[in-house]
């Protein structure tokens, strides 16, 4: 699951990089058109290109720095702001008809700065940026300030809002993943506590009595050998009883219940984002066969969770034959890992069979058959 969350993070950032790169190419194209028509000098062209490439080049680093947590403004953010201001300051006096040239780079910087600032500070900064850019561009290009203001305000709201929503999507994915991790950790901790309580209940009293009888036998060894021998015999019986109880407890943990395992596997897979469909007809199977199938279900689900990116898993049990199909073949290991190898040995030793691999429909199929 951790790999899936990190994959989502990389995907979101990749698309942001693509958008920024596309906008940078548009800005540079507009600069090139202005330069070829003589609206800006070669020196201004060079300075504008440096400013645009610099600020767009810093954007991926700024986004990655502030994507997981809201950080305080950094020197990189300040440098990017100065480069964006420089690009806007070089806006030509005679802009192309129907375009606001590259002055929108200031809005892009504002959107990235919003990742570093609280909402109130972002609103104040956005108001200041829109007002300054509108005033400057209107004075330099003699365009009506109303049109420039409307363009800047709309761009500021849409681009900044889009940047914040994009990061909110990642935060939602991350929080959901952290919740699943915490739930799994809690389940493991509860199971450990339950096992510790069981062991304490089973052995606490027995070991205390054994200790007392051993100490008493040691004291009586020289004074009353017959009674000392009797006490040691009782201690041996208590030890044998305690050993039997521990073996029964361990057997209870190892003897899985098929229905409970199917229910737990469905919950685990769906919590990891994999839809799980179960069709099980195992009422006529022997207890031993049900335990073997329960182990196969557990190991198959573990294989899906650890080694695939499946979105769907189908589990069918009919006549002592288990089939688990999933569509996450791309992430499956090329060979059998220790878990599947151990499962295969367990089934073969019990007189069953096991296979796992690619199907004709590009799915991963785990098939386990047990003697009925």
């Amino acid at each position: 699951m951790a790999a899936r969350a990190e994959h989502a993070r990389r995907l979101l950032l990749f698309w942001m990089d693509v958008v920024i790169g596309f906008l940078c190419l548009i800005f540079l194209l507009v600069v090139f058109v202005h330069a070829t028509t003589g609206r800006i000098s070669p020196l201004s062209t060079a300075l504008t290109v440096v400013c645009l490439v610099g600020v767009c080049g810093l954007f991926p680093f700024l986004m990655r720095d502030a994507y997981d947590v809201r950080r305080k403004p950094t020197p990189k953010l300040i440098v990017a702001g100065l480069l964006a201001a420089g690009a806007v300051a070089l806006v030509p006096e005679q802009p192309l008809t129907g375009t606001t040239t590259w002055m929108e780079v200031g809005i892009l910087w504002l959107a990235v700065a919003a990742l570093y600032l609280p909402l109130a500070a972002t609103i104040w900064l956005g108001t200041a940026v829109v007002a300054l850019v509108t005033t400057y561009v209107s004075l330099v290009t003699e365009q009506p300030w109303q049109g420039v203001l409307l363009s800047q305000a709309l761009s500021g709201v849409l681009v900044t809002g889009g940047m914040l929503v994009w990061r909110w999507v990642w935060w939602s994915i991350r929080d959901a993943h952290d919740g699943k991790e915490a739930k799994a950790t809690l389940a493991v901790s509860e199971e450990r506590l339950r096992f510790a309580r069981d062991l304490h209940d089973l052995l606490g009293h027995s070991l205390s009595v054994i200790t007392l009888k051993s100490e008493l036998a040691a004291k009586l060894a020289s004074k009353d050998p017959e009674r000392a021998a009797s006490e040691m015999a009782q201690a041996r019986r208590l030890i044998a009883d305690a050993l039997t109880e521990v073996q029964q407890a361990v057997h209870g943990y190892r003897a899985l219940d098929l229905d409970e395992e199917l229910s737990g596997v469905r919950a685990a897979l769906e919590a990891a984002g994999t839809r799980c469909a179960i069709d099980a007809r195992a009422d006529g199977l022997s207890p031993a066969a049900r335990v073997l199938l329960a182990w196969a279900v557990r190991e198959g689900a573990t294989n899906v969770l650890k080694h695939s990116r499946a979105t769907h898993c189908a589990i069918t049990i009919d006549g002592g034959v288990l089939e688990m199909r999933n569509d996450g073949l791309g992430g499956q290991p090329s060979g059998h890992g220790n878990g599947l190898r151990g499962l295969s040995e367990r089934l073969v030793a019990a007189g069953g069979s096991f296979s796992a691999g690619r199907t004709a429909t590009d799915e991963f199929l785990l098939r386990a058959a047990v003697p009925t």
Side-chain angles (χ1 to χ4, degrees), residues 324-357:
M324 293 184 65
R325 298 175 180 268
N326 73 81
D327 58 355
L329 184 63
Q332 297 287 154
S334 57
H336 292 175
N338 292 330
L340 294 183
R341 188 178 300 111
L343 175 61
S344 175
E345 293 171 355
R346 182 192 297 265
L347 289 169
V348 172
S353 62
F354 173 83
S355 63

Side-chain angles (χ1 to χ4, degrees), residues 238-270:
L238 288 172
I239 292 172
D241 292 341
L243 179 60
T244 300
E245 291 177 343
V246 170
Q247 289 174 340
Q248 290 176 348
V250 172
H251 177 72
Y253 277 93
R254 292 173 59 87
L256 304 181
D257 181 80
L258 179 58
D259 294 332
E260 291 181 0
E261 201 63 32
L262 287 171
S263 178
V265 163
R266 184 203 297 272
L269 290 175
E270 292 185 348

